[in-house]
Amino acid sequence: MTTVGSRRGFASDNSATVHPRVLESIAAANAGHAFGYGHDPYTHEVERRLAAALGAPDAAVFFVFNGSGANVLSLRAALKPWEAAIVSANAHLQTDEVGAPEAVAGVKLLVAETEDGMMTFDGVRRLVERPNDEHAVKPGLLSLTQSTELGTIYPLDELRALAELAHSGGLRVHVDGARFANAAAALGASLPELVSACGVDLLSFGGTKNGLMLGEAVVVFDQALVSGMLHLRKQTLQLASKMRYIAAQFDALLGDDLWLANATHANAMARRLCDAVSGVPGVTVTRAPAANAVFALLGAAARERLQREFDFYEWDDVTGEVRWMCSWDTTEADVDAFASAVRAAAS
Ligand SMILES: Cc1ncc(COP(=O)(O)O)c(C=O)c1O
């Protein structure tokens, strides 16, 4: 058998292992036969519990394989062919989905002015309020990421303002919540509070980056969008036949608020790492970690030296800014070992 090895790193929260309780839950679901494609009582029950945990018992939950699929499916569900989605310059939809919104959903993205990974109110307003004649796409959806791709977090009042702006302009709100749990944990907000502040109509709720093996959920709060979702999920190639094994993972994530414990821990490790490397000569932390990512600048030789021992990504090829991502299974010892390697490499 091929072995994976014991290397530790800060490349991504999807480099992390699967939480043991998630694996146990998969094993527990591995009994008897069940209808496929989510047509089994266990999956229905977990869907119901996720909707309840989000404070929206009437919301419809659709488990999917991955975050890109959740986002693209959301766009397909919410937008007509002449409508566009407003996104940030750093949105995963814009930068990391190979044009799937355009290629798969047929949706044009309008990039709003962005600061620190967050769309500005005025930037969104300019796009919402611009005149829409027959020659222009019509903004139909505001898609915001919480927490953002740059590890920042929209405060609740900014979310409320953005959601109100979108809704008053006739747009729906989508949230890319690949790290929704990290945002809730960092804000000290409950999931229903965060959902309510976002005014969210469709949520890509993350699981994979928070301890699952694989699995995300599209949660549809706007009842008008529910019909058709079953067909759209399949058509977007996001329908798992052995669905109960995705449901089992969410079962574990919801049990005893594992989602919160995992996210709180990942955030705390990022804070610990930031504290440990701040002030190290030759290292500049470029963004204070609001959630579970630390961004920093350090010289090319130091980066290269560090990467021999630890995995992480260079986020910006031009500036050499790096991203150090913490996850549910990052330990204090991982952080401390890495911080001393940073000190040694930068000296
Ligand atoms: C903010 C955000 N959204 C969506 C995704 C997509 O997830 P996946 O890789 O499962 O398609 C990612 C993954 O990096 C992400 O960071």
Side-chain angles (χ1 to χ4, degrees):
M1 211 158 122
T2 311
T3 53
V4 178
S6 57
R7 195 174 163 94
R8 310 286 295 177
F10 294 82
S12 175
D13 30 16
N14 57 30
S15 301
T17 53
V18 179
H19 195 282
R21 273 166 52 194
V22 172
L23 288 175
E24 281 161 22
S25 186
I26 293 173
N30 199 31
H33 287 188
F35 281 111
Y37 307 107
H39 300 299
D40 65 287
Y42 175 67
T43 298
H44 287 151
E45 176 56 16
V46 180
E47 288 167 353
R48 191 198 62 71
R49 281 175 51 218
L50 177 55
L54 292 165
D58 295 333
V61 171
F62 300 88
F63 292 126
V64 295
F65 291 113
N66 59 37
S68 305
N71 288 343
V72 172
L73 176 58
S74 298
L75 264 49
R76 292 194 77 202
L79 292 170
K80 307 231 168 43
W82 61 91
E83 289 181 328
I86 298 176
V87 297
S88 82
N90 305 102
H92 197 270
L93 273 162
Q94 163 72 359
T95 62
D96 281 303
E97 296 183 8
V98 203
E102 293 88 346
V104 178
V107 166
K108 183 176 171 66
L109 302 180
L110 298 172
V111 176
E113 180 189 71
T114 306
E115 279 171 18
D116 285 334
M118 293 173 282
M119 292 176 285
T120 65
F121 184 86
D122 284 341
V124 173
R125 189 167 51 78
R126 270 195 286 279
L127 291 170
V128 170
E129 290 178 355
R130 73 180 191 172
N132 280 119
D133 64 16
E134 70 193 75
H135 302 284
V137 285
K138 189 171 162 50
L141 186 79
L142 175 67
S143 176
L144 53 91
T145 311
Q146 179 77 326
S147 58
T148 74
E149 291 76 2
L150 296 190
T152 49
I153 295 184
Y154 291 91
L156 294 180
D157 55 342
E158 274 183 40
L159 289 173
R160 284 190 202 100
L162 283 170
E164 199 184 315
L165 175 64
H167 286 147
S168 63
L171 284 74
R172 291 194 167 94
V173 177
H174 165 251
V175 176
D176 178 346
R179 300 187 182 87
F180 204 66
N182 299 84
L187 288 166
S190 67
L191 290 176
E193 276 165 352
L194 189 51
V195 162
S196 156
C198 293
V200 59
D201 298 298
L202 303 104
L203 168 67
S204 302
F205 182 72
T208 313
K209 295 180 193 305
N210 200 22
L212 300 199
M213 180 181 290
L214 64 93
E216 316 277 303
V218 177
V219 185
V220 184
F221 298 80
D222 182 339
Q223 293 301 320
L225 298 180
V226 172
S227 83
M229 270 296 286
L230 280 177
H231 302 275
L232 270 181
R233 176 174 56 177
K234 175 76 188 202
Q235 201 180 54
T236 315
L237 313 178
Q238 286 290 322
L239 178 63
S241 59
K242 284 190 169 174
M243 185 69 87
R244 70 171 137 158
Y245 297 99
I246 296 186
Q249 297 174 67
F250 277 94
D251 186 5
L253 201 65
L254 293 169
D256 293 330
D257 287 345
L258 182 63
W259 63 271
L260 181 59
N262 283 353
T264 303
H265 176 81
N267 293 353
M269 291 303 100
R271 169 49 57 196
R272 183 181 181 94
L273 178 56
C274 175
D275 291 346
V277 298
S278 292
V280 172
V283 178
T284 308
V285 173
T286 44
R287 301 165 211 282
N292 59 326
V294 178
F295 288 79
L297 281 171
L298 70 170
R303 293 199 300 271
E304 205 184 299
R305 198 170 144 195
L306 265 177
Q307 280 174 323
R308 281 188 224 133
E309 260 189 278
F310 298 91
D311 295 331
F312 59 87
Y313 286 115
E314 273 174 33
W315 185 256
D316 186 325
D317 296 341
V318 178
T319 61
E321 187 179 28
V322 296
R323 184 189 75 170
W324 297 326
M325 190 66 103
C326 296
S327 60
W328 78 269
D329 78 346
T330 304
T331 63
E332 291 186 354
D334 288 334
V335 170
D336 297 349
F338 184 60
S340 50
V342 169
R343 260 179 247 116
S347 63

